[in-house]
Amino acid sequence: MEATLNLEISKDTTINYESTIEDKIILTQLLDKLSKTQQKIIIGIFLKDYSVIQLGQKLGISRQSVNKTKNIALKKLRNELDGDTLWKMKY
């Protein structure tokens, strides 16, 4: 029996000890720009502390695929942040 992989962001998701509701809103809006697989990988690695190997096994893809998808997603997120004036004003 395969364990389920909960990679959703909820109101109870801890981003870090300094996170605010605004940070969670911005993160959620940014993640909406990604494909479902990219979202699962970014959430899994950075918010849920899954390893690349664990994610690959759970998603049925190679660790190389996980890394490639992660890098594409991070590039997309960087591009979104570069154009986001609200983010620039806050940080």
Side-chain angles (χ1 to χ4, degrees), residues 5-91:
L5 186 62
N6 181 6
L7 297 175
E8 300 298 319
I9 295 180
S10 69
K11 64 179 179 160
D12 300 323
T13 299
T14 303
I15 296 172
N16 64 42
Y17 66 93
E18 296 178 1
S19 67
T20 64
I21 191 67
E22 292 87 4
D23 293 333
K24 288 182 182 181
I25 291 169
I26 290 170
L27 179 59
T28 301
Q29 289 173 344
L30 285 170
L31 288 172
D32 283 344
K33 309 275 185 188
L34 303 177
S35 73
K36 292 296 180 192
T37 301
Q38 289 171 334
Q39 289 176 22
K40 288 178 182 179
I41 289 171
I42 295 299
I43 292 167
I45 291 172
F46 296 105
L47 299 180
K48 304 285 184 173
D49 290 327
Y50 286 103
S51 72
V52 170
I53 293 170
Q54 287 173 312
L55 279 173
Q57 290 171 342
K58 297 290 185 185
L59 297 173
I61 58 178
S62 69
R63 68 174 176 74
Q64 294 91 341
S65 253
V66 172
N67 277 322
K68 183 177 180 180
T69 303
K70 175 191 75 172
N71 291 334
I72 291 168
L74 289 175
K75 184 176 181 179
K76 191 183 267 188
L77 291 173
R78 268 188 230 105
N79 289 339
E80 288 293 329
L81 285 173
D82 283 345
D84 190 337
T85 55
L86 176 62
W87 181 265
K88 288 177 184 174
M89 288 171 37
K90 185 170 182 183
Y91 298 99

